[in-house]
Amino acid sequence: MQQIVDAARSRKIAIEINDLVRVPHEEFILMANHAGLKFVFGSDTRDQKAGRLDYCKYIAAKCKLTMNDFFIPE
């Protein structure tokens, strides 16, 4: 996990929290957040569940992510 966090940080890549496959898990999100990485939500679905983002919202709240922890495009 640390190699992924280090690679994302060195390339300034945000981490996707994905609703469909429910990844990444809490430990990884906390590690990435501690390293200063930003996050985005994704769903990878094209059906009636698109935009649901239940897992994303759940795990973000559990990990105490704030608006400052998310990538906002300019």
Side-chain angles (χ1 to χ4, degrees):
M1 288 190 304
Q2 190 63 54
Q3 286 180 314
I4 295 168
V5 168
D6 292 343
R9 185 177 51 212
S10 70
R11 291 167 180 82
K12 298 181 181 173
I13 296 173
I15 302 297
E16 178 182 316
I17 300 174
N18 187 285
D19 191 72
L20 181 66
V21 291
R22 300 174 62 89
V23 294
H25 53 72
E26 180 180 359
E27 182 182 359
F28 183 84
I29 291 171
L30 293 173
M31 181 183 287
N33 190 32
H34 181 72
L37 296 179
K38 298 291 185 177
F39 298 90
V40 297
F41 287 168
S43 64
D44 282 343
T45 188
R46 292 166 183 83
D47 59 15
Q48 68 276 11
K49 295 178 187 173
R52 181 186 65 193
L53 305 175
D54 292 340
Y55 174 75
C56 300
K57 292 183 273 186
Y58 163 78
I59 199 69
K62 186 172 185 183
C63 294
K64 298 184 173 121
L65 299 181
T66 69
M67 287 298 296
N68 293 330
D69 296 317
F70 288 88
F71 170 74
I72 308 291
E74 294 180 15

